[in-house]
Amino acid sequence: MTEPGVATTAQPKSRIGGPEAWLIWVLATTFVVWLFAIQTGYAVVSPEIQDSADLTLAQIGLAASVYTWVFAFVQFFSGSLLDRFGSRPLLGIAVILVAVGAFLYAGTTDFTTLAIAQAVLALGAAFGFVGAGYIGGKWFPAARYGLMFGLVQAAASLGSAVGQPVILLVLQSLSWQQLLVAFGTFGVILAVLFFLIVRDPVHPAPSAPRDRPNVFAEILRDLGRCFANLNVVLSALFAGAAFGTMLALGTLWGPRIMEARGASTEFATILTALAWLGLAAGAPLVNIRSDRVGSRRRPAITWLALQTLAIAAVIYLPVESNGVAAVLMFAVGLFSGVQMLGFTVAGESIDGALIGSASAIVNGFCFLIGGMLTSIPSSFMPSDPTLQDYQRTLWLLPAVLVAGAIAAGFLRGTNRSASAPAT
C-alpha cells in the first residue's frame, strides 16, 4: 500500500512494436533524413557558398572535413551516452544543435563561420543515425534490430536522393541562405516534438539505477572492450571504406566530376541523387543476401570489389552516355550498402550491452574516412580543376575500397544471436 501523501511513479509497461513505438521511430528517422538532407545538400549549395563567400575549393573541401572529423570524434561517445542516459533528453538536444548549425550555416560569410557551422551541425548529427538505431533496438523486438537499422539508412538515402534535386529546384526561387534558414526552422519544430514525445520504453520492473561516479571512465572502458575485438575493428574499417567513399562522392566529388565531364549542374545533381537511391536499395539488401549465403565475409568482399570497379569507372572511364553514367552512379551507391554489414558484424561480435558503443565506432569510422576522402584530395586540386586533375587525385577512393576489401577478408565467424542490443 502506498503511504499517504506519497505519489506513485509506477507507469504501465510500454508496448514494444506498438503505435507509440512506430511514432517515436518515425520521429527519430525524420531527424536522420533531415540532417542527411542538410549534409548531402552541401554538394548542391557549396558552389554558391564558394562564390558568395569568396572561398577556394580547398577551403570548401576542408569545411566538409571539419563536419566529418567532429562527427567522428563525438560519434565514439554518443552510443555509450545513449546506453547510459537514454533518448530523452539527449536526442532533443541533438536536434537543437543541428538546427543552430543550420542557422549558422545560413550566415556564412567566410571560412571561419562555415567551419563553426559545420562543427555545430556535427555535434548534433553524431546522435542521429546511432540514435535512430538505439530507438529501434529499444522499441522493437530484438530480432528486428538489423531490419530497423537498415530501414533508417534506406529512408535517409531516399531522402538524400530526392533532396538534392529538390534543393536544386528550390534554389531557383530562394537563395541558399533562405533555404538553410528554412532547414533550421524545421529543426526547431522537430525539437519541440522530440521533447514532447520521444522517450525510452517503460518495463514492468526496471532495475535500480547504478551509482556512476565516473561515466567518462566507463565509456572509455566500453570503447576499449570494443576496440579489443578484432571483428569490430575490421567491420569499422570495411564499413568506413564503403560509406566513406560514398559520402565523399555524394557530398562533394560526384557533381564536380560529372560537371568536369561536361554534364549540366542539374544532370550532375540527378546522377548524385541516383547514387543515394542505390544506397537506399543496397542497405537492407546486403543483410538479406548475407543471411541467404550464410556468410558475412564473402558478401562483404564481393560488394566492396564491385563498388571499387564502379567508382573507378566513374572516375576514369570515358563515360559519354547519360544512361551509362546513371547506371554507374547507381551501382556505386548500391554496393556501398555493404556498410550496413559492418554494423551487423560488430553487433554479432560483442556482448549485447555494448551494442551502442560498437555501432558508434563503426559509424565514426564511416565519417572519419569520409572526411579524409574529401580533405586530402581537395588539398591537391588547383583552383579550377579539369577532369584530368580529378583523375590524377581521386585514385585514393578506389584504393581505400581495396583496403576495405582486404580488411573484410580477415573477418572471423560471428555469434548471430548476439546481434541485437539488450533491452
Side-chain angles (χ1 to χ4, degrees):
M1 179 181 296
T2 305
E3 295 182 6
V6 178
T8 179
T9 58
Q11 296 179 340
K13 179 183 177 181
S14 301
R15 181 182 170 188
I16 301 302
E20 183 183 15
W22 280 103
L23 175 60
I24 292 173
W25 183 84
V26 166
L27 282 174
T29 303
T30 300
F31 177 31
V32 178
V33 172
W34 170 62
L35 69 88
F36 258 62
I38 298 175
Q39 174 190 336
T40 58
Y42 189 71
V44 180
V45 301
S46 62
E48 297 198 30
I49 295 175
Q50 182 177 344
D51 291 339
S52 62
D54 195 24
L55 303 178
T56 65
L57 179 60
Q59 288 175 313
I60 290 294
L62 181 58
S65 299
V66 168
Y67 177 96
T68 52
W69 290 333
V70 173
F71 182 101
F73 176 77
V74 179
Q75 182 75 103
F76 289 126
F77 301 94
S78 62
S80 293
L81 288 172
L82 284 165
D83 285 339
R84 281 161 173 74
F85 300 110
S87 58
R88 176 185 285 180
L90 283 179
L91 292 183
I93 295 172
V95 176
I96 289 176
L97 285 171
V98 176
V100 171
F103 287 125
L104 290 172
Y105 204 171
T108 297
T109 56
D110 53 30
F111 174 75
T112 301
T113 310
L114 180 59
I116 293 173
Q118 295 281 48
V120 175
L121 278 168
L123 283 173
F127 290 86
F129 189 63
V130 168
Y134 172 88
I135 291 292
K138 291 293 184 181
W139 277 101
F140 292 88
R144 295 170 65 182
Y145 172 72
L147 173 62
M148 301 308 294
F149 221 157
L151 289 175
V152 172
Q153 180 63 74
S157 300
L158 279 172
S160 299
V162 174
Q164 288 190 337
V166 170
I167 288 173
L168 188 64
L169 182 64
V170 170
L171 286 175
Q172 296 178 6
S173 303
L174 300 178
S175 68
W176 63 269
Q177 293 95 335
Q178 292 171 325
L179 175 65
L180 288 166
V181 168
F183 271 122
T185 302
F186 177 83
V188 172
I189 298 171
L190 188 61
V192 172
L193 292 176
F194 261 72
F195 282 113
L196 290 176
I197 297 173
V198 174
R199 65 180 181 89
D200 290 332
V202 176
H203 298 289
S207 58
R210 291 186 294 164
D211 181 28
R212 300 184 184 276
N214 193 337
V215 174
F216 184 73
E218 287 193 351
I219 291 174
L220 291 180
R221 181 202 63 196
D222 289 351
L223 289 172
R225 290 170 62 189
C226 290
F227 274 114
N229 187 297
L230 179 61
N231 264 14
V232 172
V233 175
L234 292 173
S235 63
L237 289 173
F238 84 74
F243 186 71
T245 52
M246 174 62 208
L247 186 65
L249 193 77
T251 59
L252 184 61
W253 300 123
R256 301 295 177 109
I257 293 171
M258 293 304 171
E259 288 174 7
R261 289 187 179 279
S264 66
T265 301
E266 292 77 9
F267 185 65
T269 301
I270 291 173
L271 288 175
T272 308
L274 281 173
W276 289 109
L277 188 63
L279 176 55
L285 183 61
V286 67
N287 271 298
I288 295 173
R289 178 60 181 167
S290 176
D291 288 338
R292 285 182 178 177
V293 300
S295 170
R296 304 300 189 204
R297 180 172 55 192
R298 286 183 310 183
I301 296 172
T302 301
W303 283 49
L304 284 161
L306 291 171
Q307 187 186 359
T308 303
L309 294 175
I311 205 166
V314 167
I315 297 172
Y316 295 108
L317 287 186
V319 181
E320 298 179 358
S321 166
N322 290 345
V324 172
V327 170
L328 288 175
M329 289 295 284
F330 182 85
V332 169
L334 177 70
F335 296 118
S336 72
V338 72
Q339 56 135 329
M340 295 309 301
L341 207 55
F343 291 96
T344 303
V345 171
E348 292 172 348
S349 302
I350 47 86
D351 184 276
L354 299 175
I355 191 71
S357 297
S359 297
I361 287 172
V362 174
N363 209 38
F365 268 76
C366 287
F367 282 85
L368 183 64
I369 294 175
M372 293 171 60
L373 294 179
T374 54
S375 65
I376 294 176
S378 64
S379 65
F380 292 97
M381 292 283 187
S383 57
D384 189 17
T386 64
L387 178 60
Q388 289 70 33
D389 293 319
Y390 288 116
Q391 291 175 333
R392 279 195 295 267
T393 307
L394 295 182
W395 61 267
L396 190 59
L397 275 66
V400 166
L401 286 169
V402 171
I406 293 173
F410 287 96
L411 288 174
R412 299 178 297 188
T414 61
N415 175 18
R416 299 192 180 186
S417 64
S419 62
T423 58

